[in-house]
Amino acid sequence: MFLRISLPSLKSANPLSQNNKNTSIGHFSCKKMNLSLRLLSSELTCPTSEAMQYKNVNFLLSKPSARVSCFINKDVCNRDGRNVRVSCQLMHDHLEESYERNKRLQMSLPKQDFVRTLLIDNYDSYTYNIYQELSIINGVPPVVIQNDDWTWEELCYYLYKENAFDNIVISPGPGSPACPEDIGICLQILLKCRDIPVLGVCLGHQALGYVHGAQIVHASEPVHGRLSEVEHNGCQLFHGIPSGRNSGFKVVRYHSLVIDSESLPEVLIPIAWTSTGTLPFIGSKVSDKYNSREIQIDQSIFVDPVLPEVGDRSSNIIDYGKTRNAKVLMGVKHSTRPHYGVQFHPESVATCHGSQIFKNFREITDDYWLRFRSSYKKEKRANSDAHMQVSSASRLYRDFNRSISSDNNAADRPRKENHGDKDLAHNNTDIKCMDMFNMVNAHHASTGFKCLKLKWRKFSHLAGQVGGAKSIFCQLFGHEAENTFWLDSSSTEMGRARFSFMGGKGGSLWKQLKFRLSDQSDGCSNGGGYLSLEDSEGSAKTIFLEGGFLDYLNKELQSYRYDKDEYEGLPFDFHGGYVGYIGYDLKVECGVTSNRHKSKTPDACFFFADNLVAIDHKNDDVYLLAIHEESSSMTQWLDGTEEKLLSLTGSVMIDLERQYFRPSTFSSRNAGFTAEKSREHYIRDVKKCLNYIRDGESYELCLTTQIRKPIEALNYLGIYLHLRERNPAPYAAWLNFSKEDLCICCSSPERFLQLDRNDMLEAKPIKGTVARGATEEEDEQLKLKLQLSEKDQAENLMIVDLLRNDLGRVCDPGSVHVPHLMDIQSYATVHTMVSTIRGKKRSDVSAVDCVKAAFPGGSMTGAPKLRSMELLDSLESCSRGIYSGCIGFFSYNQTFDLNIVIRTVVIHEGEASIGAGGAIVALSNPEDEYEEMILKTKAPVNTVIDFE
């Protein structure tokens, strides 16, 4: 018997442990024997008649109303050399229409103003792009549940007793419809809900084929983040959309598995298929030659004689050449039911006419319910709609239990735990607002409100006169650099960044926070960790945070009260508050269930900065800011710092350069960094990633590693100053936590997430990097090569769609947009491909909610995010620690600005470490990926070596 444990409830520290091989733990359940054989091997554990013991685990109805039989057709080669093909044929015995819908009457009713959708999330990272589209098109946001949130009985209750939904959309997701943990309740929906309009996207499309007997096979090649032109048959789902080559109907594809069109049963009708091979996104616009060109992929990327030695996941090899140029099935519909599926992603930012497909599905739904209405007339009341727009499934569970407790044993109904941002996975309305209100009030009842007052002074056009930001920091804070911070916009060209903030140990409100996850941390709901606090007087204490660090930070920020009039006139949003970093392992507070590795450095460190200096690089202005509690007055720091500031002169920098920068006079490169993984090991892991991608487990995996070096006691501030000269960056940072023997020298070019005072969220992911050229001509050629690279475009597009999803969780419907897609930005050592995503924060979510919805940054994980992070945890040999996390501020006024920690030297307890990596996609070449990873370490490595 299989246990029904959903992916986000994964408890095992090592999901690949041999101890888990006989149980269904997360998505590794039916994959332990051999993931690559899950679909295509005779050893596959399929849901057969013998395995249908699901009465209490809800794979199918407890009633014996369906039986499942597996059969094998010879077609493709497994590791034993035998040609096999596996499909699951579901055969119906006396299938009855649920409840009273078999009593439908044909009747004509007016169309409604809105359509209510149940959106099933298959743990994908693009579901909330669909959510955003449907919210506008339907006139009301859909209700989102994950594919194992509800039992079949609960689903039936809301579909048939409450008549709560008009249609269902099944999201994309990792894995295969042949694996119960990948598809959850979706197969039952497609089998049983024959009288409700259903649209399946990607994995949902494959599931529609699978339940009716079609075979799911590997595609001729994995296609992720790439475009194809599509031809269709003009059915209602594609009404008003052009068709065929050069028609303008280009779609984004994220898949490595497909429905085998030759196995399509008569009950399913093909409605769309590719009319061209893959096309680059930008290249198709700037060069016509790409429009008719088939992109030829090096087959050695997918079929490599070394792969069988890597692990048994790679033992199933397919001859891609036979079907490379064949048309791929892109859409199907059921011949008698209102069920549709599309293999491509209509919600992608680069899909043409994607919104029209969702509009057409709404029309299909409206038309269906106009023709067929139940005899008891389905009511659409405004309060019914409000009832369904809830923050989580828990309220629906409670309602369900009260309504049908007499018919079902609630003890047999499994429950899921809420992890991290789970509440954000549903529509947040009055219930969440009330919960948050109660939470904040409870906190205030015990600690009281913190009423803060702000005082600030402006010095126009002063920065340049005193030597700039570097001079100001070094002379005000650098002599005793302990417990100091500098959020440093050292690259302000092209408007990349405008402000820098700096400070040291401050006034009475200053404090330092250090957080370490407990050894048992496997999620914020029951893991928690230890928070150490030290105040300005040196008093220290340690407390256990059961809810985790981000929960604590959220409560702290919610407790502050302030007068907005006090910062009118300030052009920036940081007015004091928390400055520091969040380490990568705090992903367990954001939906991930476990960390395989433990960080040597604290998982989060922050100062509460009550005094700071801000520099406006655009206008050359300097600001001094101080916050204090309402009952006190603080001008001493302002007066003293003003006096020091006005006495500074640029000439002092000559002495500072001599003090902080003493480059090596001998070559120390032979005593360089030691890599966590050798070149061969890293390339082998890249190939493993390609196998995961080929098997549909991920679209993109950001594989990373670390290099380390013992380092003597040096002037670490000098290392940072040299790094900012060698590799200036818009989101650079210096952090010194002296009690932790921890210095962070960061030259990051990437913004993770920003929330401004107007409640606008912005992310700026970087995907695609190439070295600068030696000459101007070579430099321009390399820049153009990056811009036209289909591989880099695919990397960038996948992360853009992921960030749109993450912002879509917490932003107003229709507000998420992409003002800049795949721009090329140039830095001292590299060209990069950068996109910008923005959205308007919903009024019912907090600043920390926004971070939890998007952390860790998608550019450092891959997509789908949850599955990708689990896979990466199994591949990477150590914790990323601070690397891949974020550095920045949380202002007491609920704004924040955070970077992605890359291009960074972390100096901790006498060791310097540098993390680096890159996105692995289906088009990746393992050797090239290794070279790109090394390129990203160049600037920080050379900086450290210069100071030995």
Side-chain angles (χ1 to χ4, degrees), residues 167-189:
N167 63 26
I168 299 172
V169 175
I170 299 175
S171 86
S176 160
C179 182
E181 285 74 20
D182 290 342
I183 199 65
I185 204 168
C186 299
L187 293 185
Q188 295 141 282
I189 290 172

PDB file of all heavy atoms in Angstrom, residues 167-189:
ATOM      1  N   ASN A 167     -16.395  25.773 -13.575  1.00  0.00           N
ATOM      2  CA  ASN A 167     -15.451  24.981 -14.368  1.00  0.00           C
ATOM      3  C   ASN A 167     -14.207  24.699 -13.553  1.00  0.00           C
ATOM      4  O   ASN A 167     -14.056  25.207 -12.434  1.00  0.00           O
ATOM      5  CB  ASN A 167     -15.124  25.663 -15.708  1.00  0.00           C
ATOM      6  CG  ASN A 167     -14.421  27.006 -15.543  1.00  0.00           C
ATOM      7  OD1 ASN A 167     -13.747  27.261 -14.550  1.00  0.00           O
ATOM      8  ND2 ASN A 167     -14.582  27.868 -16.532  1.00  0.00           N
ATOM      9  N   ILE A 168     -13.335  23.903 -14.108  1.00  0.00           N
ATOM     10  CA  ILE A 168     -12.101  23.498 -13.439  1.00  0.00           C
ATOM     11  C   ILE A 168     -10.950  23.688 -14.423  1.00  0.00           C
ATOM     12  O   ILE A 168     -11.067  23.349 -15.602  1.00  0.00           O
ATOM     13  CB  ILE A 168     -12.162  22.023 -12.988  1.00  0.00           C
ATOM     14  CG1 ILE A 168     -13.309  21.803 -11.991  1.00  0.00           C
ATOM     15  CG2 ILE A 168     -10.842  21.580 -12.372  1.00  0.00           C
ATOM     16  CD1 ILE A 168     -13.555  20.338 -11.654  1.00  0.00           C
ATOM     17  N   VAL A 169      -9.849  24.226 -13.915  1.00  0.00           N
ATOM     18  CA  VAL A 169      -8.616  24.304 -14.690  1.00  0.00           C
ATOM     19  C   VAL A 169      -7.540  23.513 -13.944  1.00  0.00           C
ATOM     20  O   VAL A 169      -7.355  23.696 -12.736  1.00  0.00           O
ATOM     21  CB  VAL A 169      -8.161  25.763 -14.895  1.00  0.00           C
ATOM     22  CG1 VAL A 169      -6.805  25.810 -15.597  1.00  0.00           C
ATOM     23  CG2 VAL A 169      -9.204  26.531 -15.720  1.00  0.00           C
ATOM     24  N   ILE A 170      -6.872  22.633 -14.652  1.00  0.00           N
ATOM     25  CA  ILE A 170      -5.806  21.809 -14.086  1.00  0.00           C
ATOM     26  C   ILE A 170      -4.481  22.386 -14.544  1.00  0.00           C
ATOM     27  O   ILE A 170      -4.226  22.518 -15.738  1.00  0.00           O
ATOM     28  CB  ILE A 170      -5.944  20.342 -14.523  1.00  0.00           C
ATOM     29  CG1 ILE A 170      -7.275  19.766 -14.024  1.00  0.00           C
ATOM     30  CG2 ILE A 170      -4.777  19.509 -14.001  1.00  0.00           C
ATOM     31  CD1 ILE A 170      -7.551  18.355 -14.513  1.00  0.00           C
ATOM     32  N   SER A 171      -3.640  22.715 -13.588  1.00  0.00           N
ATOM     33  CA  SER A 171      -2.403  23.446 -13.876  1.00  0.00           C
ATOM     34  C   SER A 171      -1.334  22.544 -14.478  1.00  0.00           C
ATOM     35  O   SER A 171      -1.437  21.318 -14.447  1.00  0.00           O
ATOM     36  CB  SER A 171      -1.863  24.075 -12.588  1.00  0.00           C
ATOM     37  OG  SER A 171      -1.052  23.156 -11.881  1.00  0.00           O
ATOM     38  N   PRO A 172      -0.256  23.168 -14.974  1.00  0.00           N
ATOM     39  CA  PRO A 172       0.952  22.390 -15.292  1.00  0.00           C
ATOM     40  C   PRO A 172       1.564  21.861 -14.005  1.00  0.00           C
ATOM     41  O   PRO A 172       1.072  22.120 -12.914  1.00  0.00           O
ATOM     42  CB  PRO A 172       1.867  23.432 -15.958  1.00  0.00           C
ATOM     43  CG  PRO A 172       1.013  24.622 -16.242  1.00  0.00           C
ATOM     44  CD  PRO A 172      -0.098  24.594 -15.246  1.00  0.00           C
ATOM     45  N   GLY A 173       2.665  21.162 -14.150  1.00  0.00           N
ATOM     46  CA  GLY A 173       3.367  20.658 -12.976  1.00  0.00           C
ATOM     47  C   GLY A 173       4.485  19.728 -13.366  1.00  0.00           C
ATOM     48  O   GLY A 173       4.550  19.246 -14.503  1.00  0.00           O
ATOM     49  N   PRO A 174       5.367  19.427 -12.435  1.00  0.00           N
ATOM     50  CA  PRO A 174       6.464  18.493 -12.710  1.00  0.00           C
ATOM     51  C   PRO A 174       5.967  17.059 -12.708  1.00  0.00           C
ATOM     52  O   PRO A 174       4.929  16.734 -12.138  1.00  0.00           O
ATOM     53  CB  PRO A 174       7.423  18.749 -11.549  1.00  0.00           C
ATOM     54  CG  PRO A 174       6.532  19.173 -10.425  1.00  0.00           C
ATOM     55  CD  PRO A 174       5.427  19.961 -11.066  1.00  0.00           C
ATOM     56  N   GLY A 175       6.737  16.188 -13.350  1.00  0.00           N
ATOM     57  CA  GLY A 175       6.438  14.772 -13.296  1.00  0.00           C
ATOM     58  C   GLY A 175       5.555  14.299 -14.418  1.00  0.00           C
ATOM     59  O   GLY A 175       5.558  14.844 -15.521  1.00  0.00           O
ATOM     60  N   SER A 176       4.754  13.305 -14.103  1.00  0.00           N
ATOM     61  CA  SER A 176       3.948  12.617 -15.110  1.00  0.00           C
ATOM     62  C   SER A 176       2.584  12.274 -14.547  1.00  0.00           C
ATOM     63  O   SER A 176       2.448  12.011 -13.353  1.00  0.00           O
ATOM     64  CB  SER A 176       4.656  11.324 -15.531  1.00  0.00           C
ATOM     65  OG  SER A 176       3.756  10.415 -16.120  1.00  0.00           O
ATOM     66  N   PRO A 177       1.545  12.231 -15.402  1.00  0.00           N
ATOM     67  CA  PRO A 177       0.226  11.811 -14.919  1.00  0.00           C
ATOM     68  C   PRO A 177       0.190  10.346 -14.498  1.00  0.00           C
ATOM     69  O   PRO A 177      -0.762   9.923 -13.833  1.00  0.00           O
ATOM     70  CB  PRO A 177      -0.686  12.056 -16.126  1.00  0.00           C
ATOM     71  CG  PRO A 177       0.214  12.033 -17.307  1.00  0.00           C
ATOM     72  CD  PRO A 177       1.513  12.611 -16.835  1.00  0.00           C
ATOM     73  N   ALA A 178       1.226   9.569 -14.845  1.00  0.00           N
ATOM     74  CA  ALA A 178       1.273   8.170 -14.433  1.00  0.00           C
ATOM     75  C   ALA A 178       1.652   7.997 -12.976  1.00  0.00           C
ATOM     76  O   ALA A 178       1.508   6.915 -12.429  1.00  0.00           O
ATOM     77  CB  ALA A 178       2.267   7.395 -15.318  1.00  0.00           C
ATOM     78  N   CYS A 179       2.133   9.060 -12.340  1.00  0.00           N
ATOM     79  CA  CYS A 179       2.545   8.976 -10.941  1.00  0.00           C
ATOM     80  C   CYS A 179       1.485   9.638 -10.069  1.00  0.00           C
ATOM     81  O   CYS A 179       1.218  10.839 -10.209  1.00  0.00           O
ATOM     82  CB  CYS A 179       3.893   9.661 -10.740  1.00  0.00           C
ATOM     83  SG  CYS A 179       4.509   9.552  -9.044  1.00  0.00           S
ATOM     84  N   PRO A 180       0.847   8.917  -9.158  1.00  0.00           N
ATOM     85  CA  PRO A 180      -0.230   9.489  -8.343  1.00  0.00           C
ATOM     86  C   PRO A 180       0.186  10.734  -7.576  1.00  0.00           C
ATOM     87  O   PRO A 180      -0.603  11.670  -7.448  1.00  0.00           O
ATOM     88  CB  PRO A 180      -0.592   8.347  -7.392  1.00  0.00           C
ATOM     89  CG  PRO A 180      -0.188   7.105  -8.111  1.00  0.00           C
ATOM     90  CD  PRO A 180       1.029   7.471  -8.895  1.00  0.00           C
ATOM     91  N   GLU A 181       1.418  10.771  -7.060  1.00  0.00           N
ATOM     92  CA  GLU A 181       1.835  11.927  -6.285  1.00  0.00           C
ATOM     93  C   GLU A 181       2.040  13.165  -7.146  1.00  0.00           C
ATOM     94  O   GLU A 181       2.033  14.277  -6.645  1.00  0.00           O
ATOM     95  CB  GLU A 181       3.131  11.616  -5.501  1.00  0.00           C
ATOM     96  CG  GLU A 181       2.920  10.720  -4.284  1.00  0.00           C
ATOM     97  CD  GLU A 181       2.669   9.275  -4.694  1.00  0.00           C
ATOM     98  OE1 GLU A 181       3.019   8.903  -5.822  1.00  0.00           O
ATOM     99  OE2 GLU A 181       2.101   8.518  -3.879  1.00  0.00           O
ATOM    100  N   ASP A 182       2.257  12.970  -8.427  1.00  0.00           N
ATOM    101  CA  ASP A 182       2.419  14.113  -9.321  1.00  0.00           C
ATOM    102  C   ASP A 182       1.093  14.728  -9.722  1.00  0.00           C
ATOM    103  O   ASP A 182       0.998  15.930  -9.926  1.00  0.00           O
ATOM    104  CB  ASP A 182       3.172  13.701 -10.595  1.00  0.00           C
ATOM    105  CG  ASP A 182       4.636  13.393 -10.333  1.00  0.00           C
ATOM    106  OD1 ASP A 182       5.149  13.806  -9.279  1.00  0.00           O
ATOM    107  OD2 ASP A 182       5.264  12.739 -11.188  1.00  0.00           O
ATOM    108  N   ILE A 183       0.062  13.919  -9.840  1.00  0.00           N
ATOM    109  CA  ILE A 183      -1.196  14.386 -10.432  1.00  0.00           C
ATOM    110  C   ILE A 183      -2.337  14.468  -9.423  1.00  0.00           C
ATOM    111  O   ILE A 183      -3.325  15.153  -9.647  1.00  0.00           O
ATOM    112  CB  ILE A 183      -1.593  13.476 -11.618  1.00  0.00           C
ATOM    113  CG1 ILE A 183      -2.601  14.173 -12.524  1.00  0.00           C
ATOM    114  CG2 ILE A 183      -2.086  12.131 -11.133  1.00  0.00           C
ATOM    115  CD1 ILE A 183      -2.041  15.398 -13.224  1.00  0.00           C
ATOM    116  N   GLY A 184      -2.215  13.778  -8.287  1.00  0.00           N
ATOM    117  CA  GLY A 184      -3.214  13.902  -7.232  1.00  0.00           C
ATOM    118  C   GLY A 184      -4.622  13.581  -7.689  1.00  0.00           C
ATOM    119  O   GLY A 184      -4.873  12.586  -8.377  1.00  0.00           O
ATOM    120  N   ILE A 185      -5.534  14.476  -7.336  1.00  0.00           N
ATOM    121  CA  ILE A 185      -6.955  14.250  -7.579  1.00  0.00           C
ATOM    122  C   ILE A 185      -7.369  14.510  -9.022  1.00  0.00           C
ATOM    123  O   ILE A 185      -8.513  14.256  -9.405  1.00  0.00           O
ATOM    124  CB  ILE A 185      -7.783  15.135  -6.629  1.00  0.00           C
ATOM    125  CG1 ILE A 185      -9.184  14.561  -6.412  1.00  0.00           C
ATOM    126  CG2 ILE A 185      -7.845  16.577  -7.137  1.00  0.00           C
ATOM    127  CD1 ILE A 185      -9.930  15.229  -5.277  1.00  0.00           C
ATOM    128  N   CYS A 186      -6.451  14.991  -9.843  1.00  0.00           N
ATOM    129  CA  CYS A 186      -6.810  15.427 -11.193  1.00  0.00           C
ATOM    130  C   CYS A 186      -7.326  14.287 -12.064  1.00  0.00           C
ATOM    131  O   CYS A 186      -8.216  14.497 -12.905  1.00  0.00           O
ATOM    132  CB  CYS A 186      -5.626  16.106 -11.871  1.00  0.00           C
ATOM    133  SG  CYS A 186      -5.039  17.574 -11.020  1.00  0.00           S
ATOM    134  N   LEU A 187      -6.783  13.075 -11.894  1.00  0.00           N
ATOM    135  CA  LEU A 187      -7.267  11.959 -12.703  1.00  0.00           C
ATOM    136  C   LEU A 187      -8.718  11.648 -12.391  1.00  0.00           C
ATOM    137  O   LEU A 187      -9.517  11.346 -13.297  1.00  0.00           O
ATOM    138  CB  LEU A 187      -6.401  10.723 -12.473  1.00  0.00           C
ATOM    139  CG  LEU A 187      -4.949  10.788 -12.977  1.00  0.00           C
ATOM    140  CD1 LEU A 187      -4.273   9.443 -12.790  1.00  0.00           C
ATOM    141  CD2 LEU A 187      -4.883  11.230 -14.417  1.00  0.00           C
ATOM    142  N   GLN A 188      -9.070  11.727 -11.112  1.00  0.00           N
ATOM    143  CA  GLN A 188     -10.471  11.476 -10.756  1.00  0.00           C
ATOM    144  C   GLN A 188     -11.396  12.523 -11.373  1.00  0.00           C
ATOM    145  O   GLN A 188     -12.500  12.210 -11.800  1.00  0.00           O
ATOM    146  CB  GLN A 188     -10.614  11.463  -9.239  1.00  0.00           C
ATOM    147  CG  GLN A 188      -9.873  10.308  -8.580  1.00  0.00           C
ATOM    148  CD  GLN A 188      -9.215  10.748  -7.299  1.00  0.00           C
ATOM    149  OE1 GLN A 188      -8.157  11.379  -7.337  1.00  0.00           O
ATOM    150  NE2 GLN A 188      -9.814  10.428  -6.185  1.00  0.00           N
ATOM    151  N   ILE A 189     -10.939  13.761 -11.373  1.00  0.00           N
ATOM    152  CA  ILE A 189     -11.746  14.831 -11.978  1.00  0.00           C
ATOM    153  C   ILE A 189     -12.000  14.526 -13.443  1.00  0.00           C
ATOM    154  O   ILE A 189     -13.141  14.619 -13.931  1.00  0.00           O
ATOM    155  CB  ILE A 189     -11.026  16.179 -11.816  1.00  0.00           C
ATOM    156  CG1 ILE A 189     -11.031  16.609 -10.353  1.00  0.00           C
ATOM    157  CG2 ILE A 189     -11.666  17.250 -12.693  1.00  0.00           C
ATOM    158  CD1 ILE A 189     -10.179  17.834 -10.073  1.00  0.00           C
TER     159      ILE A 189
END
